[in-house]
């Protein structure tokens, strides 16, 4: 058994599981999603190595409780879409303790048909029409943030910008005070990139203690914020129960606080070290829409799993009831089977295959908001700061996890 405190393990929750009898020895691979990404490699290169090292379309790793990993894009998409064979009751590895704690939140932990009516609450409130209403607010905050550091000629992109814009917009959507942001972001990050500083029941308790009184105060109220609208909604003709209201709000908070931030960090770190691509976009903003499609393909960040519902044969192996199967969005886009020269960023790529927002019933309801923010940021930033770079001697490092990210980095430009 591997030492729980081994620094190579990233977080202390990772221990090596023994290979179960139904896992063939030639399917075992050494892959730890929560491991620090080796220096000099990006998260996506790290996954490409896994794809290259895999001898089969589905492998099994002893890390994080022991789980299958789909390496082939078709199998990843099938697992995400097929809720009859693969349940989303638990989507996070390791199952214990993170996955089971996160399983308390909805709608991700619900399978169809139970999932549908809860999901409708999100669709009704995060659809294109509702999100279009905040377009000006997104642009205004983007400009305000950029203007705040423009004349300094430098910023920490993650802290000063990427962690500000989407989470502040989200805090406005849910009408929560900005001073609560650090606490909520810290809690949300524990599910996606746990740092070992807090136990998971405590994370859950903190979320519930925070959101419970807010829900009580807003239920039946006339406010136009997302929480009031969600907790005042009916599901199957009944008002949402207190427990369901909390579980829905907590999952929406986690989804809203830790995804767009990371996508922005990937996009802007890429532009900082690829001046040719940056100049194309800065000199011809009409190309931004097409570039966005390529950014969404090139930088998938979410690696969720599913729980096997009953013993079955899949991808040439026998899986047992309750086995965990990782169906990450990363190999879907990073496999050569999906995209030729998948690591290359090509604005004019003829065809693209990716599932950055997932597949099937749980496809991200926040996608409209994510796209709106990415578009505003690319347009407003490149119009004001067309040329920027990493400071001399600074290099990029990455953190893998359920939602991968670029570690905080600085940008500088001439003023
Ligand atoms: C670039 C930004 C984003 C990316 C890449 C992303 C990615 C994803 C993915 C891959 C899933 C499916 C997970 C699965 O099937 O296991 C998902 C679901 C979800 N996302 Fe997002 N997301 C983003 C932004 C957001 C935002 C801004 C919100 C909140 C406003 C949000 C809220 C959710 C929720 C609540 C679910 C669960 C949906 C369900 O179970 O039906 N996401 N997201």
């Amino acid at each position: 058994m591997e030492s729980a405190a081994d620094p190579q393990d990233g977080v202390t929750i990772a221990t090596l599981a023994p290979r179960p009898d139904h896992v063939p020895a030639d399917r075992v691979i050494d892959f730890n999603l929560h491991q620090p990404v080796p220096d000099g490699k990006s998260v996506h290169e790290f996954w490409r190595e896994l794809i290259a090292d895999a001898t089969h379309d589905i492998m099994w790793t002893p890390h994080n409780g022991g789980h299958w990993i789909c390496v082939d894009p078709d199998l990843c998409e099938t697992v995400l879409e097929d809720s009859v064979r693969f349940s989303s009751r638990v989507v996070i590895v390791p199952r214990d303790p993170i996955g089971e704690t996160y399983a308390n939140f909805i709608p991700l932990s619900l399978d169809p048909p139970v999932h549908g009516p809860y999901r409708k609450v999100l669709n009704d409130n995060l659809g294109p029409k509702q999100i279009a209403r905040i377009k000006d607010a997104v642009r205004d905050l983007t400009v305000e943030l950029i203007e705040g550091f423009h004349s300094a000629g430098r910023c920490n992109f993650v802290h000063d910008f990427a962690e500000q814009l989407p989470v502040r917009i989200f805090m406005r959507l849910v009408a929560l005070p900005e001073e609560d942001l650090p606490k909520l972001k810290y809690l949300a990050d524990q599910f996606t990139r746990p740092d070992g500083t807090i136990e998971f029941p405590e994370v859950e308790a903190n979320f519930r203690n925070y959101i419970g009184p807010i829900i009580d105060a807003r239920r039946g109220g006339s406010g136009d914020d997302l929480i009031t609208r969600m907790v005042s909604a009916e599901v199957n003709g009944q008002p949402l129960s207190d427990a369901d209201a909390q579980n829905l709000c907590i999952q929406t908070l986690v989804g809203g606080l830790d995804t767009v931030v990371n996508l922005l960090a990937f996009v802007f770190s890429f532009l900082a070290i690829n001046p040719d691509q940056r100049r194309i976009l800065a000199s011809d903003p009409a190309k931004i829409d097409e570039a966005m499609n390529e950014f969404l393909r090139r930088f998938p960040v979410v690696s969720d799993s599913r729980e096997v519902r009953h013993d079955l044969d899949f991808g040439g192996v026998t899986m047992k009831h309750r086995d965990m199967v990782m169906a990450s969005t990363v190999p879907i886009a990073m496999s050569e089977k999906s995209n030729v020269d998948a690591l290359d960023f090509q604005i004019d790529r003829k065809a693209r295959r990716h599932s950055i927002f997932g597949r099937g019933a749980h496809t991200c309801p926040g996608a409209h908001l994510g796209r709106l923010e990415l578009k505003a940021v690319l347009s407003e930033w490149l119009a004001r700061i067309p040329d920027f770079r990493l400071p001399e001697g600074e290099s990029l490092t990455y953190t893998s996890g359920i939602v991968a990210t670029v570690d905080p980095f600085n940008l500088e430009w001439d003023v």
Side-chain angles (χ1 to χ4, degrees):
M1 181 73 78
E2 178 180 349
S3 156
D6 183 345
Q8 289 307 308
D9 238 7
V11 286
T12 51
I13 46 176
T15 50
L16 288 182
R19 176 171 63 89
D21 291 345
H22 65 284
V23 175
D26 68 345
R27 298 278 175 156
V28 177
I29 199 161
D30 183 20
F31 179 79
N32 180 357
L33 184 75
H34 295 287
Q35 175 193 3
V37 178
D39 266 358
K41 281 199 191 82
S42 73
V43 170
H44 297 90
E45 286 166 340
F46 180 55
W47 269 94
R48 289 270 297 188
E49 276 182 11
L50 169 77
I51 297 170
D53 291 348
T55 49
H56 296 85
D57 292 344
I58 288 191
M59 303 299 288
W60 185 89
T61 174
H63 293 277
N64 296 306
H67 62 88
W68 299 102
I69 315 175
C70 297
V71 178
D72 176 80
D74 297 334
L75 297 185
C76 289
E77 289 181 345
T78 301
V79 169
L80 290 175
E81 284 173 345
D82 184 349
S83 59
V84 174
R85 287 185 288 176
F86 304 101
S87 171
S88 65
R89 189 187 76 79
V90 182
V91 298
I92 291 183
V93 294
R95 170 206 299 282
D96 294 311
I98 322 183
E100 289 289 355
T101 307
Y102 199 65
N104 292 328
F105 308 135
I106 59 173
L108 196 45
S109 60
L110 303 175
D111 292 313
V114 180
H115 167 261
Y118 292 92
R119 172 58 190 250
K120 184 171 178 305
V121 177
L122 291 175
N123 291 349
D124 288 349
N125 290 294
L126 290 170
K129 247 200 226 147
Q130 289 74 19
I131 293 306
R133 285 164 38 193
I134 59 166
K135 191 173 174 194
D136 289 350
V138 171
R139 193 201 47 231
D140 292 351
L141 183 58
T142 304
V143 173
E144 184 190 320
L145 288 167
I146 297 170
E147 294 303 340
F149 47 63
H150 190 178
S151 61
R154 61 179 294 131
C155 74
N156 182 294
F157 182 80
V158 173
H159 293 321
D160 300 336
F161 188 80
E163 284 183 350
Q164 300 296 323
L165 176 82
V167 292
R168 279 166 64 174
I169 289 293
F170 185 76
M171 292 301 268
R172 289 183 194 180
L173 263 183
V174 288
L176 293 175
E178 277 183 14
E179 61 262 28
D180 294 349
L181 200 63
K183 173 170 127 181
L184 290 177
K185 179 85 175 88
Y186 166 73
L187 292 175
D189 286 358
Q190 298 309 314
F191 286 115
T192 50
R193 293 177 306 284
D195 63 9
T197 55
I198 181 170
E199 300 288 325
F200 292 95
E202 212 184 319
V203 175
E204 181 179 356
N206 272 293
F207 260 127
R208 291 195 189 286
N209 292 339
Y210 176 81
I211 205 77
I214 292 169
I215 289 174
D216 291 345
R218 295 194 192 176
R219 197 186 267 288
S222 57
D224 196 30
D225 64 279
L226 186 57
I227 291 181
T228 303
R229 284 188 275 137
M230 286 199 302
V231 303
S232 305
E234 289 197 343
V235 168
N236 299 321
Q238 300 292 322
L240 214 55
S241 70
D242 278 342
D244 281 352
Q246 280 195 13
N247 295 336
L248 189 63
C249 287
I250 294 171
Q251 187 147 87
T252 309
L253 285 174
V254 176
L257 290 174
D258 188 42
T259 38
V260 187
V261 176
N262 309 1
L263 180 64
L264 289 176
F266 277 108
V267 169
F268 274 73
S269 58
F270 170 84
L271 290 174
I273 58 176
N274 288 279
D276 293 348
Q277 304 284 359
R278 191 181 66 238
R279 279 181 204 121
I280 291 173
L281 293 187
S283 62
D284 186 359
K287 289 210 160 75
I288 287 179
D289 280 334
E290 202 51 30
M292 269 181 56
N293 291 333
E294 181 67 348
F295 282 127
L296 294 174
R297 180 205 70 80
R298 176 62 182 79
F299 296 113
V301 288
V302 176
S303 295
D304 272 359
S305 300
R306 294 293 188 260
E307 186 183 45
V308 174
R309 290 186 100 152
H310 47 79
D311 294 4
L312 50 83
D313 292 335
F314 183 72
V317 292
T318 296
M319 297 180 169
K320 295 284 182 191
H321 173 53
R322 295 191 83 233
D323 276 3
M324 292 297 292
V325 190
M326 185 177 288
S328 169
T329 62
V330 183
I332 295 175
M334 285 300 110
S335 156
E336 290 294 308
K337 186 173 164 184
S338 300
N339 298 294
V340 176
D341 297 329
L343 279 176
D344 286 359
F345 182 87
Q346 299 170 13
I347 295 179
D348 51 2
R349 215 174 249 284
K350 295 278 172 295
R352 301 187 169 90
R353 178 175 176 190
H354 72 81
S355 293
I356 187 172
F357 293 112
R359 302 280 294 194
H362 300 280
T363 300
C364 181
H368 308 292
L369 179 57
R371 282 179 191 273
L372 177 82
E373 290 176 336
L374 180 59
K375 173 85 185 272
V377 173
L378 282 167
S379 308
E380 303 302 334
W381 183 293
L382 290 171
R384 287 165 180 78
I385 310 177
D387 260 324
F388 54 93
R389 56 192 174 268
L390 290 183
E392 180 93 26
E394 184 162 328
S395 54
L396 298 167
T397 59
Y398 302 83
T399 300
S400 177
I402 303 299
V403 184
T405 194
V406 188
D407 299 328
F409 58 93
N410 294 297
L411 290 181
E412 61 179 32
W413 52 89
D414 298 333
V415 284

Short mmCIF file of all heavy atoms in Angstrom, two decimals, residues 80 91 107-109 115 119 122 126 170 173 226 251-252 255-256 259-260 263 301-302 304-306 329 355-359 361-367 369-370 373, ligand 1:
data_model
loop_
_atom_site.label_atom_id
_atom_site.label_comp_id
_atom_site.label_asym_id
_atom_site.label_seq_id
_atom_site.Cartn_x
_atom_site.Cartn_y
_atom_site.Cartn_z
N LEU A 80 -20.69 8.76 -20.83
CA LEU A 80 -21.36 10.00 -20.37
C LEU A 80 -22.85 10.00 -20.75
O LEU A 80 -23.69 10.52 -20.02
CB LEU A 80 -20.68 11.23 -20.97
CG LEU A 80 -19.29 11.56 -20.43
CD1 LEU A 80 -18.67 12.72 -21.21
CD2 LEU A 80 -19.31 11.89 -18.94
N VAL A 91 -19.82 10.94 -9.41
CA VAL A 91 -19.08 11.35 -10.62
C VAL A 91 -17.63 11.70 -10.33
O VAL A 91 -16.87 12.02 -11.24
CB VAL A 91 -19.76 12.56 -11.33
CG1 VAL A 91 -21.16 12.21 -11.80
CG2 VAL A 91 -19.76 13.80 -10.46
N PRO A 107 -28.43 18.61 -9.83
CA PRO A 107 -29.01 17.42 -10.44
C PRO A 107 -28.01 16.38 -10.95
O PRO A 107 -28.41 15.35 -11.45
CB PRO A 107 -29.77 18.00 -11.64
CG PRO A 107 -28.93 19.15 -12.07
CD PRO A 107 -28.33 19.74 -10.80
N LEU A 108 -26.69 16.65 -10.80
CA LEU A 108 -25.73 15.74 -11.43
C LEU A 108 -25.84 14.32 -10.88
O LEU A 108 -25.64 13.35 -11.61
CB LEU A 108 -24.30 16.30 -11.24
CG LEU A 108 -23.19 15.75 -12.11
CD1 LEU A 108 -23.58 15.62 -13.56
CD2 LEU A 108 -21.94 16.61 -11.97
N SER A 109 -26.18 14.16 -9.61
CA SER A 109 -26.20 12.81 -9.04
C SER A 109 -27.48 12.05 -9.38
O SER A 109 -27.63 10.90 -8.99
CB SER A 109 -26.04 12.90 -7.52
OG SER A 109 -27.12 13.65 -6.99
N HIS A 115 -33.90 12.91 -13.03
CA HIS A 115 -33.09 14.10 -13.26
C HIS A 115 -33.84 15.23 -13.99
O HIS A 115 -33.70 16.41 -13.65
CB HIS A 115 -31.86 13.64 -14.07
CG HIS A 115 -31.05 14.74 -14.68
ND1 HIS A 115 -31.17 15.13 -16.01
CD2 HIS A 115 -30.11 15.55 -14.16
CE1 HIS A 115 -30.32 16.10 -16.26
NE2 HIS A 115 -29.66 16.38 -15.17
N ARG A 119 -33.48 19.34 -13.65
CA ARG A 119 -32.65 19.99 -14.66
C ARG A 119 -33.41 21.15 -15.33
O ARG A 119 -32.84 22.17 -15.68
CB ARG A 119 -32.20 18.94 -15.67
CG ARG A 119 -31.50 19.47 -16.89
CD ARG A 119 -30.26 20.28 -16.50
NE ARG A 119 -29.75 20.96 -17.65
CZ ARG A 119 -28.62 20.65 -18.27
NH1 ARG A 119 -27.85 19.72 -17.80
NH2 ARG A 119 -28.23 21.32 -19.32
N LEU A 122 -32.84 24.49 -13.89
CA LEU A 122 -31.61 25.16 -14.34
C LEU A 122 -31.77 25.69 -15.77
O LEU A 122 -31.38 26.82 -16.07
CB LEU A 122 -30.42 24.19 -14.29
CG LEU A 122 -29.97 23.77 -12.89
CD1 LEU A 122 -28.88 22.72 -12.98
CD2 LEU A 122 -29.47 24.98 -12.11
N LEU A 126 -30.92 29.43 -16.83
CA LEU A 126 -29.58 29.67 -17.39
C LEU A 126 -29.57 29.58 -18.91
O LEU A 126 -28.51 29.47 -19.53
CB LEU A 126 -28.59 28.64 -16.81
CG LEU A 126 -28.24 28.80 -15.32
CD1 LEU A 126 -27.46 27.58 -14.84
CD2 LEU A 126 -27.45 30.07 -15.06
N PHE A 170 -21.09 35.62 -11.42
CA PHE A 170 -21.91 34.56 -10.84
C PHE A 170 -22.50 35.00 -9.50
O PHE A 170 -23.68 34.77 -9.22
CB PHE A 170 -21.08 33.28 -10.68
CG PHE A 170 -21.90 32.13 -10.20
CD1 PHE A 170 -22.74 31.47 -11.07
CD2 PHE A 170 -21.86 31.72 -8.89
CE1 PHE A 170 -23.53 30.42 -10.64
CE2 PHE A 170 -22.64 30.67 -8.44
CZ PHE A 170 -23.48 30.02 -9.32
N LEU A 173 -25.40 37.01 -10.21
CA LEU A 173 -26.53 36.19 -10.67
C LEU A 173 -27.28 35.58 -9.50
O LEU A 173 -28.49 35.49 -9.49
CB LEU A 173 -26.00 35.02 -11.52
CG LEU A 173 -25.97 35.11 -13.02
CD1 LEU A 173 -25.48 33.79 -13.60
CD2 LEU A 173 -27.36 35.42 -13.57
N LEU A 226 -30.89 34.17 -9.19
CA LEU A 226 -30.96 32.74 -9.53
C LEU A 226 -31.40 31.89 -8.34
O LEU A 226 -32.18 30.94 -8.49
CB LEU A 226 -29.58 32.31 -10.03
CG LEU A 226 -29.42 30.90 -10.58
CD1 LEU A 226 -30.38 30.63 -11.72
CD2 LEU A 226 -27.98 30.69 -11.08
N GLN A 251 -24.70 22.63 -5.83
CA GLN A 251 -24.07 22.16 -7.07
C GLN A 251 -23.90 23.30 -8.08
O GLN A 251 -22.89 23.36 -8.78
CB GLN A 251 -24.90 21.05 -7.70
CG GLN A 251 -24.16 20.45 -8.87
CD GLN A 251 -24.47 18.99 -8.99
OE1 GLN A 251 -25.45 18.64 -9.62
NE2 GLN A 251 -23.68 18.15 -8.36
N THR A 252 -24.88 24.18 -8.13
CA THR A 252 -24.77 25.30 -9.07
C THR A 252 -23.62 26.22 -8.66
O THR A 252 -22.89 26.73 -9.51
CB THR A 252 -26.11 26.07 -9.12
OG1 THR A 252 -27.15 25.12 -9.35
CG2 THR A 252 -26.13 27.08 -10.23
N GLY A 255 -20.42 24.46 -9.74
CA GLY A 255 -20.28 24.54 -11.20
C GLY A 255 -19.92 25.95 -11.65
O GLY A 255 -19.13 26.13 -12.56
N GLY A 256 -20.50 26.95 -10.99
CA GLY A 256 -20.32 28.33 -11.44
C GLY A 256 -19.03 28.96 -10.96
O GLY A 256 -18.59 29.96 -11.51
N THR A 259 -15.00 26.86 -13.20
CA THR A 259 -14.86 26.30 -14.55
C THR A 259 -14.42 27.39 -15.53
O THR A 259 -13.38 27.25 -16.18
CB THR A 259 -16.20 25.68 -15.04
OG1 THR A 259 -17.27 26.51 -14.59
CG2 THR A 259 -16.38 24.27 -14.52
N VAL A 260 -15.20 28.47 -15.59
CA VAL A 260 -14.85 29.53 -16.54
C VAL A 260 -13.49 30.12 -16.16
O VAL A 260 -12.67 30.44 -17.02
CB VAL A 260 -15.93 30.62 -16.58
CG1 VAL A 260 -15.62 31.62 -17.70
CG2 VAL A 260 -17.32 30.03 -16.80
N LEU A 263 -10.90 27.88 -17.66
CA LEU A 263 -10.86 27.98 -19.12
C LEU A 263 -10.13 29.28 -19.52
O LEU A 263 -9.27 29.28 -20.40
CB LEU A 263 -12.29 27.96 -19.69
CG LEU A 263 -12.38 28.06 -21.21
CD1 LEU A 263 -11.72 26.87 -21.88
CD2 LEU A 263 -13.84 28.18 -21.66
N VAL A 301 -11.50 20.73 -19.73
CA VAL A 301 -10.95 20.77 -18.37
C VAL A 301 -11.57 19.76 -17.40
O VAL A 301 -10.98 19.46 -16.37
CB VAL A 301 -11.10 22.19 -17.74
CG1 VAL A 301 -10.14 23.18 -18.40
CG2 VAL A 301 -12.53 22.72 -17.83
N VAL A 302 -12.76 19.23 -17.71
CA VAL A 302 -13.49 18.43 -16.72
C VAL A 302 -13.24 16.92 -16.91
O VAL A 302 -13.34 16.42 -18.03
CB VAL A 302 -15.01 18.71 -16.80
CG1 VAL A 302 -15.78 17.80 -15.84
CG2 VAL A 302 -15.30 20.18 -16.49
N ASP A 304 -14.91 13.86 -15.26
CA ASP A 304 -15.88 13.20 -14.39
C ASP A 304 -15.91 11.70 -14.67
O ASP A 304 -15.38 11.23 -15.68
CB ASP A 304 -17.27 13.79 -14.62
CG ASP A 304 -17.51 15.01 -13.72
OD1 ASP A 304 -16.61 15.36 -12.94
OD2 ASP A 304 -18.60 15.61 -13.81
N SER A 305 -16.55 10.99 -13.77
CA SER A 305 -16.67 9.54 -13.90
C SER A 305 -18.14 9.14 -13.78
O SER A 305 -19.00 9.99 -13.52
CB SER A 305 -15.86 8.85 -12.80
OG SER A 305 -14.50 9.20 -12.90
N ARG A 306 -18.39 7.86 -13.94
CA ARG A 306 -19.72 7.30 -13.73
C ARG A 306 -19.57 6.02 -12.93
O ARG A 306 -18.49 5.42 -12.89
CB ARG A 306 -20.40 6.99 -15.07
CG ARG A 306 -20.72 8.23 -15.92
CD ARG A 306 -21.79 9.08 -15.31
NE ARG A 306 -22.27 10.16 -16.16
CZ ARG A 306 -21.89 11.43 -16.07
NH1 ARG A 306 -20.97 11.79 -15.18
NH2 ARG A 306 -22.41 12.35 -16.86
N THR A 329 -13.58 14.55 -20.32
CA THR A 329 -13.76 15.28 -21.59
C THR A 329 -12.41 15.53 -22.28
O THR A 329 -12.38 15.91 -23.44
CB THR A 329 -14.46 16.65 -21.35
OG1 THR A 329 -13.64 17.46 -20.50
CG2 THR A 329 -15.83 16.46 -20.72
N SER A 355 -16.13 17.59 -26.39
CA SER A 355 -17.32 17.57 -25.52
C SER A 355 -17.00 18.36 -24.27
O SER A 355 -17.24 17.89 -23.16
CB SER A 355 -17.68 16.13 -25.14
OG SER A 355 -18.10 15.41 -26.26
N ILE A 356 -16.44 19.57 -24.44
CA ILE A 356 -15.99 20.32 -23.26
C ILE A 356 -17.13 20.53 -22.26
O ILE A 356 -16.91 20.60 -21.06
CB ILE A 356 -15.34 21.67 -23.66
CG1 ILE A 356 -14.74 22.34 -22.42
CG2 ILE A 356 -16.30 22.58 -24.39
CD1 ILE A 356 -13.89 23.56 -22.68
N PHE A 357 -18.36 20.62 -22.75
CA PHE A 357 -19.50 20.83 -21.84
C PHE A 357 -20.21 19.52 -21.52
O PHE A 357 -21.32 19.54 -20.98
CB PHE A 357 -20.47 21.84 -22.43
CG PHE A 357 -19.89 23.24 -22.52
CD1 PHE A 357 -19.62 23.83 -23.75
CD2 PHE A 357 -19.58 23.96 -21.37
CE1 PHE A 357 -19.07 25.11 -23.83
CE2 PHE A 357 -19.03 25.24 -21.44
CZ PHE A 357 -18.77 25.81 -22.66
N GLY A 358 -19.58 18.37 -21.81
CA GLY A 358 -20.19 17.08 -21.49
C GLY A 358 -21.08 16.58 -22.60
O GLY A 358 -21.13 17.15 -23.71
N ARG A 359 -21.79 15.49 -22.33
CA ARG A 359 -22.67 14.85 -23.32
C ARG A 359 -23.90 14.35 -22.61
O ARG A 359 -23.85 13.99 -21.43
CB ARG A 359 -22.00 13.62 -23.94
CG ARG A 359 -20.71 13.86 -24.62
CD ARG A 359 -20.88 14.40 -25.98
NE ARG A 359 -21.50 13.44 -26.88
CZ ARG A 359 -21.52 13.56 -28.19
NH1 ARG A 359 -20.96 14.61 -28.75
NH2 ARG A 359 -22.10 12.67 -28.95
N ALA A 361 -27.67 13.84 -20.93
CA ALA A 361 -28.63 14.53 -20.05
C ALA A 361 -27.97 15.60 -19.18
O ALA A 361 -28.60 16.59 -18.82
CB ALA A 361 -29.32 13.51 -19.15
N HIS A 362 -26.71 15.40 -18.82
CA HIS A 362 -26.05 16.33 -17.87
C HIS A 362 -25.22 17.40 -18.57
O HIS A 362 -24.49 18.13 -17.90
CB HIS A 362 -25.18 15.54 -16.89
CG HIS A 362 -25.97 14.56 -16.09
ND1 HIS A 362 -26.72 14.93 -14.99
CD2 HIS A 362 -26.17 13.23 -16.25
CE1 HIS A 362 -27.33 13.86 -14.50
NE2 HIS A 362 -27.02 12.81 -15.25
N THR A 363 -25.32 17.48 -19.89
CA THR A 363 -24.55 18.51 -20.62
C THR A 363 -24.73 19.85 -19.92
O THR A 363 -25.83 20.23 -19.54
CB THR A 363 -25.04 18.60 -22.09
OG1 THR A 363 -24.85 17.33 -22.70
CG2 THR A 363 -24.27 19.65 -22.86
N CYS A 364 -23.63 20.56 -19.78
CA CYS A 364 -23.58 21.74 -18.89
C CYS A 364 -24.67 22.79 -19.16
O CYS A 364 -24.74 23.35 -20.25
CB CYS A 364 -22.21 22.39 -19.04
SG CYS A 364 -22.05 23.82 -17.97
N PRO A 365 -25.46 23.11 -18.15
CA PRO A 365 -26.46 24.18 -18.31
C PRO A 365 -25.82 25.57 -18.25
O PRO A 365 -26.45 26.56 -18.60
CB PRO A 365 -27.39 23.98 -17.10
CG PRO A 365 -26.53 23.33 -16.06
CD PRO A 365 -25.52 22.49 -16.81
N GLY A 366 -24.55 25.64 -17.82
CA GLY A 366 -23.85 26.93 -17.72
C GLY A 366 -23.10 27.28 -19.00
O GLY A 366 -22.38 28.29 -19.04
N ALA A 367 -23.26 26.46 -20.06
CA ALA A 367 -22.47 26.65 -21.28
C ALA A 367 -22.71 28.03 -21.92
O ALA A 367 -21.79 28.66 -22.42
CB ALA A 367 -22.77 25.54 -22.28
N LEU A 369 -23.51 30.83 -20.47
CA LEU A 369 -22.80 31.83 -19.68
C LEU A 369 -21.30 31.74 -19.94
O LEU A 369 -20.62 32.75 -20.13
CB LEU A 369 -23.12 31.61 -18.19
CG LEU A 369 -22.43 32.54 -17.21
CD1 LEU A 369 -22.74 34.00 -17.52
CD2 LEU A 369 -22.87 32.22 -15.77
N GLY A 370 -20.77 30.51 -19.98
CA GLY A 370 -19.34 30.31 -20.22
C GLY A 370 -18.92 30.92 -21.55
O GLY A 370 -17.92 31.63 -21.64
N GLU A 373 -19.02 34.79 -21.56
CA GLU A 373 -17.89 35.40 -20.84
C GLU A 373 -16.60 35.28 -21.65
O GLU A 373 -15.83 36.24 -21.74
CB GLU A 373 -17.75 34.74 -19.46
CG GLU A 373 -18.91 35.14 -18.55
CD GLU A 373 -18.92 34.47 -17.18
OE1 GLU A 373 -18.34 33.37 -17.04
OE2 GLU A 373 -19.52 35.01 -16.26
C1 LIG B 1 -16.28 26.87 -19.40
C2 LIG B 1 -17.09 26.65 -18.43
C3 LIG B 1 -17.72 25.32 -18.07
C4 LIG B 1 -17.34 24.05 -18.40
C5 LIG B 1 -16.15 23.60 -19.23
C6 LIG B 1 -18.32 23.15 -17.79
C7 LIG B 1 -18.31 21.78 -17.95
C8 LIG B 1 -19.33 20.95 -17.51
C9 LIG B 1 -19.43 19.54 -17.80
C10 LIG B 1 -18.41 18.73 -18.61
C11 LIG B 1 -20.56 19.08 -17.22
C12 LIG B 1 -21.09 17.64 -17.26
C13 LIG B 1 -20.57 16.83 -16.10
C14 LIG B 1 -20.97 15.37 -16.16
O1 LIG B 1 -21.71 14.96 -17.05
O2 LIG B 1 -20.49 14.61 -15.30
C15 LIG B 1 -21.19 20.18 -16.52
C16 LIG B 1 -22.35 20.10 -15.79
C17 LIG B 1 -22.84 21.13 -15.00
N1 LIG B 1 -22.39 22.44 -15.00
FE1 LIG B 1 -20.89 23.20 -16.13
N2 LIG B 1 -19.21 23.89 -17.09
C18 LIG B 1 -18.91 25.22 -17.23
C19 LIG B 1 -19.58 26.30 -16.70
C20 LIG B 1 -20.63 26.21 -15.80
C21 LIG B 1 -21.27 27.33 -15.16
C22 LIG B 1 -20.89 28.81 -15.39
C23 LIG B 1 -22.25 26.83 -14.34
C24 LIG B 1 -23.23 27.55 -13.44
C25 LIG B 1 -23.79 28.66 -13.76
C26 LIG B 1 -22.22 25.38 -14.48
C27 LIG B 1 -23.05 24.50 -13.81
C28 LIG B 1 -23.15 23.15 -14.09
C29 LIG B 1 -24.14 22.26 -13.47
C30 LIG B 1 -25.17 22.64 -12.41
C31 LIG B 1 -23.94 20.99 -14.04
C32 LIG B 1 -24.74 19.72 -13.76
C33 LIG B 1 -25.86 19.60 -14.81
C34 LIG B 1 -26.74 18.37 -14.70
O3 LIG B 1 -26.47 17.46 -13.92
O4 LIG B 1 -27.72 18.30 -15.45
N3 LIG B 1 -21.24 25.05 -15.37
N4 LIG B 1 -20.42 21.33 -16.72
#
